[in-house]
Amino acid sequence: GVTMPGASYNLDINLGNYASIKRAEKIFGTLSKEIDSALDDALEETAQEMEKKALESLSSYGLGGSEVASSVKLDNTGNGISLVASSDHADYVEFGTGIRGAESPHPNPDGWSYDVNEHGDAGWVYKGKDGKFHWTAGTRSRPFMYETWIYGSRIVGSKVNKHINSLLKGVGL
């Protein structure tokens, strides 16, 4: 899955014709470890491409060298691989804030609230990392993780097919 503080997207992986793969595993019991390894390789490749996509997406929003970008990492959970944006403000980048976020919301806001303090166009003042005060009316959604999740869901099937086909070709099937 793809996770950030406070938000997560689950990637349901369709392993192509999984029933056929399992049948082949039964017929060719000796391939069981190799098939598991091929699936692991496919998931690893998918995860690496998703990490690249997340960073490209952040760059397209002008956040390529940002603290959010440097917090994007792959995390092997033992049961799979998660793509994590661990920055404290990754959610605010993803979903947007204030009236600007409400005007340009996330494609799947799923309970995210905009302009919770009802500042509207008046906005608010905050103290930045530079120690100075800044005014804002919020920011639009920049859904880099959502875009990455969409991308991952589109490529995973072809990655699985590539690795399984390579394995089967390698053993003459």
Side-chain angles (χ1 to χ4, degrees):
V2 176
T3 59
M4 298 182 310
S8 101
Y9 303 100
N10 290 319
L11 179 60
D12 295 322
I13 297 171
N14 178 347
L15 299 177
N17 190 343
Y18 189 69
S20 295
I21 294 170
K22 282 302 190 189
R23 247 190 330 277
E25 239 181 64
K26 269 187 189 165
I27 295 167
F28 307 103
T30 57
L31 289 179
S32 181
K33 285 182 184 170
E34 287 85 352
I35 289 173
D36 286 346
S37 179
L39 292 174
D40 287 346
D41 291 347
L43 294 178
E44 175 72 29
E45 185 177 342
T46 301
Q48 288 173 355
E49 290 209 18
M50 288 176 70
E51 180 182 33
K52 245 174 50 182
K53 174 65 175 174
L55 295 173
E56 288 168 4
S57 184
L58 281 166
S59 288
S60 76
Y61 292 119
L63 297 168
S66 69
E67 188 262 333
V68 172
S70 66
S71 81
V72 173
K73 300 279 183 277
L74 290 175
D75 181 24
N76 191 332
T77 64
N79 294 327
I81 301 169
S82 287
L83 181 65
V84 179
S86 60
S87 165
D88 289 340
H89 58 277
D91 284 349
Y92 302 110
V93 170
E94 178 77 14
F95 290 97
T97 59
I99 193 74
R100 298 294 173 260
E103 291 168 350
S104 181
H106 192 273
N108 183 19
D110 196 24
W112 185 261
S113 296
Y114 293 98
D115 199 21
V116 291
N117 295 322
E118 298 181 15
H119 292 294
D121 284 322
W124 63 94
V125 174
Y126 67 96
K127 190 172 186 178
K129 288 185 179 184
D130 60 5
K132 297 178 181 174
F133 287 94
H134 303 272
W135 173 88
T136 186
T139 184
R140 65 187 172 88
S141 168
R142 290 158 293 173
F144 69 101
M145 292 296 266
Y146 179 79
E147 292 167 357
T148 300
W149 171 73
I150 293 289
Y151 173 75
S153 66
R154 289 182 179 149
I155 68 167
V156 68
S158 65
K159 299 299 177 194
V160 168
N161 288 340
K162 170 186 154 186
H163 286 273
I164 293 294
N165 289 337
S166 178
L167 166 66
L168 296 177
K169 189 176 182 180
V171 296
L173 294 176

